[in-house]
């Protein structure tokens, strides 16, 4: 039986976030440069995005470039930015065909002007699509996001727009880059690393974590199916007892 048939429609995760890792190692294994791994990683992105939309997952967030990734060699950063521009140009059709809206989170002002421009083009062009929201985390770091939110909230407190007593989960959520997204239900990381690397720290508070040894450029729809099937086997208790849930 096809793996897909094991997926239950009514308990699909509403928000899947993916740490796409292992491009460099994938290329190295093939005796190629890291850039070759990044290029091939874009094929996995396309497949995962299309498959998620077809399955009916409402939100997919992809960790594409972290605040820490700015510390990589200049040439690699440049390659990644170029690849981002070409992928945005190329994949606009995939997004339109599948009724997918593009969004971006992160310290976007750090991105080169060309990336900014292309990103805004695609965000605007897909703004009315509603089947799925694809969010790219670019120049994203959870600590930067939280710092940004704290500064905004503090300013509002100082200007008497918010009172300290009223600060709660919901106010904090509204000041995060992910303000329009629900909490993450399923977090996937490829390449065997079992760490979060500064991704969505607040938003994964109750996410189910799924780690796979598959390197990102090898990640295919069957790997996504496996992750979702595993997710659907977990009992999400949110602090309650098993008996309370049934
Ligand atoms: C993920 O692959 C892509 C980015 C972080 C931009 P890596 O480039 O981290 O690949 P590895 O971890 O070195 O194999
Ligand atoms: C995390 O991968 C960032 C992205 C996938 C964009 P890294 O490869 O940069 O993570 P670390 O530094 O190994 O934890
Ligand atoms: Mg890595």
């Amino acid at each position: 039986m096809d793996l897909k048939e094991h997926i239950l429609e009514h308990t699909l995760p509403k928000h899947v976030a993916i740490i796409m890792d292992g491009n460099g190692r994938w290329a190295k294994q093939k005796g190629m440069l890291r850039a070759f791994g990044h290029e091939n990683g874009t094929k996995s992105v396309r497949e995962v995005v299309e498959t998620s939309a077809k399955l009916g997952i409402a939100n997919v967030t992809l960790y594409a470039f972290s605040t820490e990734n700015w510390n990589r060699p200049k040439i690699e950063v440049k390659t990644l930015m170029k690849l981002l521009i070409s992928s945005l140009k190329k994949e606009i059709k995939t997004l339109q065909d599948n009724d997918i809206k593009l969004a971006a989170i992160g310290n976007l002002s750090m991105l080169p002007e060309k990336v900014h421009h292309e990103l805004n083009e695609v965000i605007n062009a897909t703004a009315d699509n509603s089947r799925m929201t694809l969010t790219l985390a670019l120049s994203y770091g959870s600590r930067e996001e939280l710092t940004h939110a704290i500064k905004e909230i503090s300013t509002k407190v100082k200007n008497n727009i918010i009172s300290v007593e009223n600060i709660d989960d919901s106010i904090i959520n509204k000041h995060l880059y992910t303000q329009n997204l629900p909490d993450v239900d399923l977090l996937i990381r490829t390449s065997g690393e079992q760490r979060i690397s500064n991704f969505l720290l607040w938003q994964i508070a109750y996410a189910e974590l799924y780690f796979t040894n598959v390197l990102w450029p090898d990640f295919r729809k069957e790997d996504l199916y496996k992750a979702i099937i595993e997710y659907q086997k977990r009992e999400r208790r949110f602090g309650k007892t098993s008996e309370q849930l049934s």
Side-chain angles (χ1 to χ4, degrees):
M1 194 159 91
D2 189 353
L3 266 180
K4 191 179 168 214
E5 286 161 34
H6 291 274
I7 296 176
L8 309 169
E9 251 174 73
H10 58 286
T11 51
L12 279 176
K14 288 187 180 66
H15 187 181
V16 176
I18 308 180
I19 303 175
M20 312 183 286
D21 198 14
N23 293 354
R25 278 163 284 167
W26 184 89
K28 197 171 177 189
Q29 280 178 2
K30 297 191 150 40
M32 302 294 281
L33 298 173
R34 295 178 60 83
F36 184 65
H38 295 314
E39 281 160 23
N40 278 275
T42 63
K43 295 179 190 164
S44 305
V45 171
R46 187 185 311 126
E47 182 153 333
V48 162
V49 168
E50 270 184 323
T51 306
S52 303
K54 292 205 168 97
L55 279 174
I57 294 170
N59 299 284
V60 170
T61 300
L62 301 177
Y63 205 4
F65 193 86
S66 72
T67 46
E68 288 72 24
N69 288 151
W70 289 116
N71 300 320
R72 289 195 177 189
K74 265 204 182 86
I75 174 81
E76 180 162 348
V77 172
K78 209 172 161 185
T79 302
L80 285 165
M81 293 301 146
K82 268 194 177 168
L83 197 58
L84 190 58
I85 297 170
S86 61
S87 301
L88 284 165
K89 281 192 204 285
K90 203 162 122 194
E91 299 306 335
I92 184 152
K93 187 171 169 354
T94 311
L95 300 180
Q96 301 294 30
D97 288 350
N98 292 281
D99 195 16
I100 300 168
K101 185 205 301 256
L102 187 76
I105 54 170
N107 186 359
L108 304 176
S109 63
M110 293 277 289
L111 295 169
E113 179 47 40
K114 269 192 184 166
V115 175
H116 231 251
H117 174 78
E118 209 48 53
L119 199 55
N120 284 331
E121 291 270 303
V122 183
I123 289 174
N124 293 333
T126 61
D128 293 331
N129 293 350
S130 60
R131 183 170 176 83
M132 185 177 101
T133 298
L134 169 66
T135 304
L136 297 181
L138 291 168
S139 186
Y140 176 88
S142 204
R143 287 184 170 182
E144 193 280 327
E145 177 183 43
L146 288 164
T147 306
H148 175 262
I150 290 166
K151 282 184 183 162
E152 283 209 325
I153 295 171
S154 315
T155 307
K156 288 185 186 171
V157 168
K158 195 171 79 183
N159 296 330
N160 296 315
I161 298 166
I162 297 177
S163 69
V164 172
E165 296 70 37
N166 288 340
I167 298 175
D168 57 7
D169 278 24
S170 137
I171 295 221
I172 294 172
N173 267 323
K174 279 188 195 118
H175 290 84
L176 297 175
Y177 300 136
T178 52
Q179 55 193 245
N180 299 318
L181 294 170
D183 278 353
V184 176
D185 294 309
L186 170 62
L187 174 74
I188 299 172
R189 183 171 191 148
T190 59
S191 89
E193 307 300 349
Q194 302 197 1
R195 54 177 174 260
I196 303 301
S197 304
N198 201 13
F199 191 40
L200 303 173
L201 299 179
W202 170 278
Q203 299 86 340
I204 61 165
Y206 254 110
E208 295 298 328
L209 309 182
Y210 179 87
F211 299 103
T212 170
N213 288 330
V214 175
L215 301 173
W216 180 250
D218 286 330
F219 197 87
R220 286 293 168 268
K221 57 175 182 287
E222 290 74 21
D223 299 296
L224 180 68
Y225 294 155
K226 277 186 206 161
I228 295 170
I229 292 165
E230 161 75 25
Y231 164 85
Q232 293 187 322
K233 285 186 189 149
R234 310 242 182 118
E235 183 179 61
R236 304 188 74 195
R237 290 192 287 277
F238 296 99
K240 295 182 179 171
T241 67
S242 199
E243 290 69 28
Q244 278 180 295
L245 299 172
S246 56

